Amino acid sequence: FVEMSGSYTIPISGLKEGCHSYDFEIGKGFFDLFEGSEISEGELKASVEADKRVSHIDVIIRINGTVRISCDRCLGIFSLPLSSENRLVVKSGKANDENDPDIISLAADENEFDLTWYFYEYILLALPIKRLHPEDENGNSTCDPEMINRLNEHIINDDIGTDPRWDELKKIMNN
């Protein structure tokens, strides 16, 4: 895999009909391009297959590897495995068809297709909603135990009962 000098582009002009493959490495330098990104590090490989046809180029992007991300429970950083496969259709034309984000229209004089933003977007979309340290072989959390203990100290046990304001609202709903 070659990072191609930090360039995440594939050639468009002069591309012969048929299948073409391109490989990219995505690391810390890639995530540095996106200020304020929740991902600052990762080791990923992007494989791009471009199938040039008469009317368009069918592009399949496969991204596999790991990203370093913050745990939602203990805030510790951990390596999260990630895998995605996405498809784009690249056409030569005027403007993007805003109804389908997977169809990209490039100006006829474009020589290259920059995949940087698509790689980033597909990596973010592959992240799970809940980002938690994985469990060990016994099913126990591998979160930072010190942080979990601190959080447990601040949990408020509501043994008082119900809130009288809600009780009044429940009476209205029950009538």
Side-chain angles (χ1 to χ4, degrees):
F1 290 101
V2 178
E3 192 170 338
M4 299 173 80
S5 309
S7 173
Y8 301 96
T9 61
I10 59 172
I12 295 295
S13 66
L15 198 63
K16 293 188 166 118
E17 282 191 38
C19 285
H20 307 274
S21 296
Y22 306 92
D23 296 317
F24 302 90
E25 283 191 17
I26 299 173
K28 181 167 177 22
F30 175 83
F31 294 108
D32 288 345
L33 298 172
F34 300 93
E35 190 174 320
S37 173
E38 61 185 306
I39 303 171
S40 60
E41 292 182 54
E43 292 181 12
L44 301 139
K45 296 193 181 332
S47 299
V48 178
E49 289 179 19
D51 186 5
K52 169 79 175 193
R53 300 183 184 174
V54 174
S55 60
H56 67 280
I57 303 171
D58 198 16
V59 179
I60 297 174
I61 300 171
R62 292 181 185 89
I63 301 174
N64 294 292
T66 59
V67 293
R68 303 276 298 152
I69 196 155
S70 176
C71 175
D72 290 341
R73 184 182 299 137
C74 72
L75 303 179
I77 303 294
F78 71 102
S79 290
L80 177 71
L82 193 134
S83 180
S84 76
E85 181 173 323
N86 296 277
R87 179 177 176 258
L88 291 171
V89 175
V90 180
K91 295 183 174 189
S92 185
K94 294 176 188 162
N96 283 347
D97 177 5
E98 306 229 352
N99 295 328
D100 191 345
D102 297 331
I103 298 177
I104 310 301
S105 296
L106 296 178
D109 61 347
E110 289 285 332
N111 295 324
E112 296 179 324
F113 179 42
D114 189 352
L115 294 165
T116 307
W117 178 253
Y118 297 97
F119 287 171
Y120 182 68
E121 188 174 81
Y122 295 150
I123 290 167
L124 290 182
L125 289 172
L127 292 173
I129 293 171
K130 285 179 105 176
R131 297 151 197 176
L132 302 174
H133 276 95
E135 294 179 344
D136 65 14
E137 60 276 353
N138 299 323
N140 299 318
S141 171
T142 58
C143 282
D144 179 358
E146 184 179 325
M147 180 60 86
I148 296 301
N149 288 336
R150 281 186 184 174
L151 289 171
N152 287 334
E153 288 173 10
H154 296 288
I155 291 177
I156 298 171
N157 291 324
D158 188 11
D159 295 333
I160 299 168
T162 61
D163 184 332
R165 294 171 293 184
W166 289 111
D167 291 341
E168 292 301 316
L169 289 172
K170 286 180 187 174
K171 286 180 192 174
I172 293 171
M173 285 179 46
N174 291 335
N175 290 335

